[in-house]
């Protein structure tokens, strides 16, 4: 499994809010590594490097390495807390990733060929229903993004998960329906024309029946 980042860490024995504040004054933050049927390991990691890693994107959807006093752990970030004002990371929960493991992660959706989309060229608007999709994926094959091609999307179209070519071994956690990822909303003028056409057809049918 290729790691997308590596952070230096140290084991910690101090816990609690007071200890956490003291660590942050030193440029460190509390974190924990858990899972894989092993005891939880409280650690400290550098605030600056961790915050930079988070803001690069894909923090909770990529494998990382935490070097704890020379012992390396392959992990994935499962949860984190941010400072409400500064956007610094305050705490991170890391899950150990064993070889051959399967993970549940949020994968971002990437839209292709927006400039060639006929629905957008005709004045439609791309309404994104899901910016990410929760997926079950192999730990050694986590896709960076799900690609949804807009090259043939027309006004009024709904684009579902079935339109995405899923990477091998990856599956959405929602399995009971072909859920919508985005729609191409028709422009107002086109909506009015469609409604008028529908009313005209109804009037013709009523006249014919009389």
């Amino acid at each position: 499994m290729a790691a997308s980042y590596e952070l230096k860490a140290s084991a910690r024995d101090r816990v609690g809010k007071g200890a956490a504040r003291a660590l942050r004054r030193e440029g460190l933050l509390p974190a924990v590594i858990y899972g894989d049927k092993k005891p939880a390991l409280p650690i400290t990691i550098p605030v600056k490097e961790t915050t930079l890693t988070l803001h690069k994107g894909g923090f909770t959807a990529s494998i990382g390495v935490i070097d704890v006093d020379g012992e390396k752990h392959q992990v994935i970030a499962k949860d984190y807390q941010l400072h409400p004002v500064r956007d610094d990371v305050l705490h991170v929960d890391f899950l150990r990733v064993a070889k051959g493991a399967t993970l549940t992660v949020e994968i971002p959706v990437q839209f292709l060929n927006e400039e060639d989309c006929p629905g957008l060229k005709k004045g439609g608007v791309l309404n994104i229903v899901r910016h990410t999709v929760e997926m079950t994926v192999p730990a050694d094959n986590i896709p960076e993004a799900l690609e949804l091609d807009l090259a043939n999307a027309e006004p009024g179209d709904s684009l579902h998960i079935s339109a995405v070519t899923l990477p091998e071994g990856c599956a959405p956690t929602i399995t009971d329906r072909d859920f919508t990822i985005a729609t191409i909303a028709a422009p107002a003028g086109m909506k009015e024309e469609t409604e008028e056409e529908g009313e005209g057809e109804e009037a013709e049918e009523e006249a014919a029946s009389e």
Side-chain angles (χ1 to χ4, degrees), residues 111-129:
F111 296 92
L112 305 179
N113 296 314
E114 287 190 54
E115 66 281 0
D116 297 323
C117 175
L120 299 182
K121 284 184 175 182
K122 294 173 183 176
V125 177
L126 176 64
N127 287 332
I128 301 175
V129 178

Side-chain angles (χ1 to χ4, degrees), residues 74-113:
Q74 284 197 312
V75 300
I76 188 168
K78 293 300 290 183
D79 194 18
Y80 59 86
Q81 297 172 356
L82 293 178
H83 189 282
V85 177
R86 297 192 305 269
D87 261 1
D88 290 340
V89 187
L90 297 179
H91 187 277
V92 185
D93 291 342
F94 292 104
L95 175 68
R96 292 186 184 94
V97 177
K99 187 176 181 180
T102 300
L103 304 172
T104 299
V105 296
E106 293 280 345
I107 304 297
V109 179
Q110 181 178 349
F111 296 92
L112 305 179
N113 296 314

Side-chain angles (χ1 to χ4, degrees), residues 129-130 133 148 158-164 166 172 174-183:
V129 178
R130 294 175 183 269
V133 176
L148 186 55
S158 292
L159 308 168
H160 303 95
I161 186 63
S162 58
V164 177
L166 299 177
I174 298 174
T175 58
D176 61 345
R177 63 187 186 277
D178 187 15
F179 56 88
T180 301
I181 294 178
T183 63

